Amino acid sequence: MATKGWGRALAVAAVFALIGPLIGATLVMSVMAASLMMVDRSNAVVTLLMWPFAAVLGMMIGFVPALLTGGVMAALSTRLKTRLAWIGVAAVCGMATTALFYRLADLGSDPMIPLVCGGGAAVACALITLGWRPR
């Protein structure tokens, strides 16, 4: 890989590692706010106001799986020729690394929300990096 390719690969990994956890935290908070809004609308507002704390917690919890996803995506980038393949592999990789981290860290019994949010954050990062990923 040429110097330009290495720079792009590092940029892809950085986007996944630094932006991915924030997107994941936003997705988790949105799901929580939506579920709480069904019970009482004031709970949803409080949940949304907690986003800065969720962002910090999301960086603490989500940085490692997001970095792993970014590293795998940077490594696979030259092999993934189509946009759909790039986005699909990002979703699968984001869910897999989130599931692995969730299991290793023993964060609870129901991984559905973290899996969906990890995959969703990976798809968002894949869309962000779509135009300038290494090819």
Side-chain angles (χ1 to χ4, degrees):
M1 193 182 290
T3 304
K4 185 177 181 182
W6 279 108
R8 288 183 178 196
L10 288 174
V12 165
V15 165
F16 275 84
L18 299 175
I19 296 175
L22 297 176
I23 294 170
T26 301
L27 290 172
V28 168
M29 294 303 291
S30 299
V31 168
M32 287 176 57
S35 64
L36 287 173
M37 196 164 28
M38 292 180 191
V39 176
D40 184 10
R41 288 181 187 247
S42 63
N43 289 338
V45 173
V46 169
T47 304
L48 289 176
L49 291 175
M50 289 175 36
W51 187 87
F53 304 107
V56 171
L57 187 61
M59 285 302 287
M60 290 171 37
I61 293 173
F63 180 77
V64 172
L67 181 62
L68 288 173
T69 301
V72 169
M73 293 306 295
L76 294 177
S77 182
T78 57
R79 293 175 180 85
L80 301 172
K81 302 298 180 194
T82 66
R83 292 177 176 197
L84 186 59
W86 174 252
I87 294 167
V89 170
V92 170
C93 188
M95 290 177 73
T97 57
T98 302
L100 176 67
F101 187 76
Y102 192 83
R103 182 61 130 165
L104 291 175
D106 195 24
L107 294 174
S109 61
D110 185 22
M112 189 53 64
I113 290 176
L115 285 177
V116 170
C117 294
V123 167
C125 290
L127 290 171
I128 291 170
T129 60
L130 190 62
W132 45 271
R133 66 185 176 93
R135 294 199 180 117

